[in-house]
Amino acid sequence: MSENVVHLHKNTDPAPEPDTVTTLTVVPEPTPAPPVPLWVRSGHAIRTAVTHETTRTTARALARHTLYVAGGARIAAKRTWDGRTASRYERMFRAAEATGNHEMAAEWEERGQHFREARHRRRMDLLHSPLDAAKGIAVGAGMGIGSLVALGIVMAIATKDVTQVVTPLMATIEFINLLIAIVQVVWGPALAIGPFLALLALWAVGSRQQAAPAWALPDNARSSEGEPITPSIVVKALRDLGVPALRNAIKEMGDAGASMLGPIRIAGCGVEVDVTLPSGVSTIEVQNRRRKLAENLTRHEHEVFITIPTAARTVRLWVADSGALDEPIGPSPLMTDETMTADYAKGRAPWGQDLRGDAAAISLYQRHLLITGLSNQGKTAALRALALWLALDRSVEFWVGDLKGVGDWAMFDQLASRFVQGPTDDHVIEVTEMVEDAVAEMNRRIQEPPGSTFPLLVVIVDEAQVAFMCPAKDEAKRPYGGAKANSLYFMGVRKIHNQGRAVNVLMWQGTQDPTNENLPKLVREGAHTRASLALGTESQARMALGDKAVDGGAAPNLLRPGLDRGTLVVASDGIAVPAGQASITVRTHYISTEDAVEIANRAKAMRDGVTTLRAVDRGQERDPLADVAAVLGDAKRSHTQDILKRLAILDEDAYGDWSFIDLKRVLEAAGIEPYKSHGRMVVRADDVTRTLTDRGTDGSASAF
């Protein structure tokens, strides 16, 4: 207990004043901190030493090498037991029986019976072997001694020395004595070293098989990221999948659970193996545990795919090499083969590769198309790649509406008959009018006689969500956007979906981040080919691909945004989908804008020339002959029916009601006479151009 110390402060002046007072000040002494007990300091030091990484590493190493010996002894004992007994045949018999393969089970049962019979014969032979061995030793010894004596007699005769008779026999005895001496010298050290050699052999076996718990293994052994797929790894992954019936069946099979597996085959950037499931285990139970199976195989979920082959009660596992799906695939055949052409009716567009590395080609014949996904995942590039291939069929006509408006579709200028580019409400109005004109063309074709054939007209709208979300209305207060019965764009798309494919009028749309507002249900379900890039949620995946595809395993929401750019999950009957699956994953070829321009130029060179029509001011004064020249474009001649159709597209108000008589009146007034070619009336572009040139020289013009 501390004590207070009293300090006296006196005035030290030689002559203190009478009223000077001596002051007493009490200053408390600071209380010292109690000392830390020795046992506490020792405990901290011990805990630090025990938990130090070096200590833990050393303890793990000591435990690991000790357990290697125990594990090696267990493995050696099991191998010896398998070699001496019929347990191996019993395991294989139970494994075949568990998988329902009764023919193989009977074969293993027969092999086991043969093994038991051979073992019985060996054991019976052992009963007679001592007597036989004794007889053999006696006979051998007698013959040996006789041979040595005979050799000695020959030597004695040759040397005329009778003592040579026993020389071979004595030499043999001395040699045996030498061997005994060597054994006596070596026996002691061998007894001392033998156990250590046996332990070393067991340690080698255990080390080679990694026969120690995972916590005792070194870090590089415990990290199995990207390890090769082997039968034992697949069996362990299935055993730990959480399906009781599967776990129990594998447990009964023992190590022979690999009998469930077919050959492990290299398939593209991964491996493929068929697994025949035991009785009582459904394929859906394995499919529903894809993530857990992938983790058991030391892979990410997107690196394992489960499909159903034609064989009953079988699942096919495709496991990617670790990180292989992050590597790009090769260039598109559209870029490498400059002579490639397309066939809309019979051909297939080269879109990319499936996960096995096989080419993924898709048929576009009479199929409406919808591609969706998050922003900046490759939607436009994937949609444009199909259009570029189809453009190599010179009979196909394109109407393109690009509601992004940044030039991704600029190469279709002079390739598409109609082209709208821009993100504003005015551009949405133009795209909606384009879709309505496609409906009118569809209705015209439907009115043609049965059996008539028509060239393909593809209406492409990229960033279609802009159209669905447009708030603009027409003069009758009908909205251009939305999903109501009076929504103009929505109803135009629905009409094409309903009847367009029958007369080769197709609707292709690209949209992003789907919701019920920007991608109505009726529009989603009207597409025959539905493809999705990476999405955020499962509900979006169902909007993009439909419930059937998602319930069957399609999971674009599991694709990694950015890392899986250009990877599509496709639900369509136009592409080869594995048996039992409702979708397929395709890694698309990337075609840059520069390469797309080159491919589009090849497509333009195959055609006579296409005049791309854009929106015009409805109130402007029309010059019919100049408009005829405009719609003719670079073509040398054109059918009058095509000219009328393009004039109507150019200005519906001015030319929508025109017939051949109206066109003929304008041409004859200008001194131009249409003529027949192969039974159809045509107009020469040179005649129209020459007339306009002459008219410009004399200053005359005709307004409409």
Side-chain angles (χ1 to χ4, degrees), residues 239-302:
R239 182 194 64 194
D240 300 336
L241 201 55
V243 181
L246 180 59
R247 182 179 62 250
N248 294 335
I250 294 176
K251 190 181 299 182
E252 291 179 1
M253 299 176 197
D255 290 342
S259 61
M260 296 189 306
L261 310 183
I264 296 180
R265 305 176 296 272
I266 296 177
C269 57
V271 296
E272 186 178 74
V273 58
D274 287 351
V275 181
T276 303
L277 300 175
S279 263
V281 181
S282 170
T283 55
I284 194 65
E285 294 181 277
V286 178
Q287 282 185 303
N288 290 341
R289 290 168 172 81
R290 176 186 172 194
R291 173 176 293 181
K292 190 169 185 178
L293 179 62
E295 292 171 351
N296 291 348
L297 293 169
T298 66
R299 293 296 191 272
H300 297 290
E301 185 173 7
H302 71 277

Side-chain angles (χ1 to χ4, degrees), residues 583-613:
S583 64
I584 186 173
T585 301
V586 176
R587 303 174 69 199
T588 59
H589 297 294
Y590 174 69
I591 301 177
S592 66
T593 301
E594 294 76 13
D595 294 327
V597 170
E598 181 180 344
I599 298 169
N601 289 336
R602 297 207 310 262
K604 293 174 185 177
M606 298 171 60
R607 300 165 186 247
D608 292 334
V610 176
T611 302
T612 299
L613 304 182

Side-chain angles (χ1 to χ4, degrees), residues 390-459:
L390 198 56
L392 298 177
D393 183 341
R394 58 181 301 173
S395 67
V396 178
E397 182 178 1
F398 293 94
W399 293 2
V400 177
D402 176 15
L403 293 178
K404 183 187 295 183
V406 295
D408 289 339
W409 293 86
M411 70 290 302
F412 276 79
D413 192 4
Q414 304 304 318
L415 185 58
S417 300
R418 298 187 66 170
F419 186 70
V420 179
Q421 181 176 254
T424 66
D425 289 349
D426 290 337
H427 293 105
V428 172
I429 293 173
E430 295 171 20
V431 167
T432 303
E433 292 176 349
M434 181 180 73
V435 172
E436 291 179 330
D437 291 341
V439 173
E441 171 64 16
M442 176 189 71
N443 292 332
R444 184 192 69 79
R445 294 183 178 189
I446 292 174
Q447 298 302 318
E448 294 292 328
S452 301
T453 58
F454 308 98
L456 174 64
L457 171 61
V458 183
V459 182

Side-chain angles (χ1 to χ4, degrees), residues 510-583:
T511 183
Q512 68 179 21
D513 202 11
T515 64
N516 285 321
E517 289 73 28
N518 65 23
L519 188 59
K521 180 179 180 181
L522 292 178
V523 172
R524 301 194 303 258
E525 295 181 349
H528 304 96
T529 295
R530 300 167 70 172
S532 176
L533 296 115
L535 289 173
T537 63
E538 182 180 327
S539 62
Q540 287 184 316
R542 293 184 180 276
M543 292 180 190
L545 300 177
D547 292 336
K548 179 180 178 181
V550 174
D551 291 339
N557 53 301
L558 298 180
L559 295 174
R560 301 162 299 169
L563 296 177
D564 291 325
R565 184 179 289 112
T567 299
L568 285 165
V569 181
V570 184
S572 172
D573 61 351
I575 193 169
V577 177
Q581 292 294 106
S583 64

